[in-house]
């Protein structure tokens, strides 16, 4: 395993999404590991973004696994459709799910990894039993709903807790972080124990998005070389 970098297409050019996916792909092992797709419904969060038809189109345009982050109301109803379409990882918010355990089972049955996201102010400890049914824990390091926000360093305490629980075998989740990740913050997140780093403007705002992906991955490895040398 190496650090996973997931460019957020919220920061891409919506008129050229297939090209924007292609520009961060690169050779195997060199480019983006996942493409992070932010789905917002203007209800759970105030913004409105990409939905299932766009995801279905992107699945035909790229071989990079799609990491769909659903910031929506009633994910119990809508999330399985993303798994059925072929998304690799489908993440729902614990604050929105009615029955997150049943939802995780439904996502897996439909062929996707199941992810659970928590807002910056949501305590991790309240949801540890639920997380035993999930594959991915997405810790938000900004308030969900808008790109370009500043990183909230206090959430790293949750990352450290999750990393400790994974390392001791109490959880089996991949630890992902989303919000304000760039060259100034990625090392802090890496040292806290993140596995997968979502980066939006740090990638798509760069002159060379592919090199930006590679540079972030290098920073992660340099921040914790022991961990990644043994991975």
């Amino acid at each position: 395993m190496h650090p996973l970098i997931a460019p957020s297409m919220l920061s891409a050019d919506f008129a050229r999404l297939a090209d924007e996916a292609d520009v961060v792909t690169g050779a195997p092992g060199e480019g983006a590991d996942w493409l992070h797709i932010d789905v917002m419904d203007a209800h759970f969060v105030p913004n409105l973004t990409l939905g299932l038809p766009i995801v279905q189109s992107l699945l035909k345009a790229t071989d990079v696994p799609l990491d769909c982050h659903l910031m929506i109301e009633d994910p119990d109803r809508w999330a399985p459709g993303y798994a059925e379409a072929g998304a690799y990882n489908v993440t729902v918010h614990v604050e929105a799910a009615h029955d997150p355990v049943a939802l995780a089972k439904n996502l897996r049955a439909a062929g996707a990894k199941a992810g659970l996201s928590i807002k910056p102010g949501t305590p991790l400890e309240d949801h540890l039993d639920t997380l035993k049914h999930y594959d991915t824990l997405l810790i938000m390091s900004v308030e969900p709903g808008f790109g370009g926000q500043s990183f909230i360093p206090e959430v790293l305490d949750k990352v450290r807790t999750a990393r400790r629980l994974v390392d001791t075998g109490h959880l089996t989740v991949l630890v992902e972080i989303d919000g304000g990740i760039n060259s100034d913050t990625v090392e802090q997140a890496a040292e806290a124990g993140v596995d997968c780093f979502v980066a939006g403007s740090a990638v798509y705002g760069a002159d060379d998005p592919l090199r930006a992906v590679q540079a972030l991955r290098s920073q992660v490895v340099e921040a914790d070389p022991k961990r990644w040398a043994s991975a």
Side-chain angles (χ1 to χ4, degrees), residues 1 11 32 38 40 54-55 93 100-102 122 124 144 202 209 211 222:
M1 182 180 174
S11 296
D38 286 307
M40 306 182 194
I54 301 297
V55 168
H93 268 267
V101 173
T122 299
L124 175 65
R211 288 192 66 180
E222 289 167 8

Side-chain angles (χ1 to χ4, degrees), residues 11 15 19 25 28 41 50 58 73 76 87 95 98-99 103-104 108 111 118 127 164 179 182 185 192 206 212 216:
S11 296
D19 292 337
T25 300
D41 65 355
L50 309 175
L58 271 173
E73 289 184 354
D76 305 67
E95 302 90 355
H98 302 296
D99 188 342
L103 180 50
R108 286 172 163 177
I118 58 174
H127 305 288
R164 183 172 65 252
N182 54 42
T185 59
L216 288 171

Side-chain angles (χ1 to χ4, degrees), residues 45-66:
V45 293
N47 206 353
L48 182 67
T49 59
L50 309 175
L52 183 56
I54 301 297
V55 168
Q56 291 169 327
S57 295
L58 271 173
L59 285 162
K60 298 173 185 175
T62 182
D63 292 328
V64 180
L66 298 192

Side-chain angles (χ1 to χ4, degrees), residues 7-74:
S8 173
M9 303 206 79
L10 184 63
S11 296
D13 182 346
F14 281 12
R16 302 173 53 252
L17 287 180
D19 292 337
E20 296 283 64
D22 187 61
V23 80
V24 296
T25 300
E30 293 183 0
D33 299 283
W34 295 354
L35 290 174
H36 188 80
I37 312 297
D38 286 307
V39 177
M40 306 182 194
D41 65 355
H43 295 285
F44 180 70
V45 293
N47 206 353
L48 182 67
T49 59
L50 309 175
L52 183 56
I54 301 297
V55 168
Q56 291 169 327
S57 295
L58 271 173
L59 285 162
K60 298 173 185 175
T62 182
D63 292 328
V64 180
L66 298 192
D67 174 33
C68 293
H69 175 198
L70 309 189
M71 289 170 269
I72 63 173
E73 289 184 354
D74 200 10

Side-chain angles (χ1 to χ4, degrees), residues 27-187:
E30 293 183 0
D33 299 283
W34 295 354
L35 290 174
H36 188 80
I37 312 297
D38 286 307
V39 177
M40 306 182 194
D41 65 355
H43 295 285
F44 180 70
V45 293
N47 206 353
L48 182 67
T49 59
L50 309 175
L52 183 56
I54 301 297
V55 168
Q56 291 169 327
S57 295
L58 271 173
L59 285 162
K60 298 173 185 175
T62 182
D63 292 328
V64 180
L66 298 192
D67 174 33
C68 293
H69 175 198
L70 309 189
M71 289 170 269
I72 63 173
E73 289 184 354
D74 200 10
D76 305 67
R77 176 182 178 185
W78 299 110
Y82 290 82
E84 291 163 2
Y88 177 77
N89 186 74
V90 179
T91 295
V92 300
H93 268 267
V94 70
E95 302 90 355
H98 302 296
D99 188 342
V101 173
L103 180 50
K105 292 176 182 176
N106 290 338
L107 290 172
R108 286 172 163 177
K113 300 289 186 182
L116 192 70
S117 184
I118 58 174
K119 294 181 180 182
T122 299
L124 175 65
E125 290 77 9
D126 292 351
H127 305 288
L128 295 181
D129 286 341
T130 299
L131 276 167
K132 292 176 182 177
H133 300 271
Y134 279 80
D135 304 292
T136 306
L137 165 63
L138 175 58
I139 294 175
M140 294 298 298
S141 43
V142 299
E143 289 297 330
F146 294 95
Q149 298 180 65
S150 297
F151 181 78
I152 301 173
E154 289 78 11
V155 304
L156 294 180
D157 286 339
K158 286 190 275 193
V159 173
R160 295 183 188 99
T161 298
R163 179 82 266 144
R164 183 172 65 252
L165 291 170
V166 171
D167 289 346
T168 56
H170 291 83
L171 289 176
T172 57
V173 293
L174 180 147
V175 181
E176 184 176 10
I177 195 164
D178 179 11
I181 295 297
N182 54 42
S183 59
D184 295 324
T185 59
V186 71
E187 292 181 15

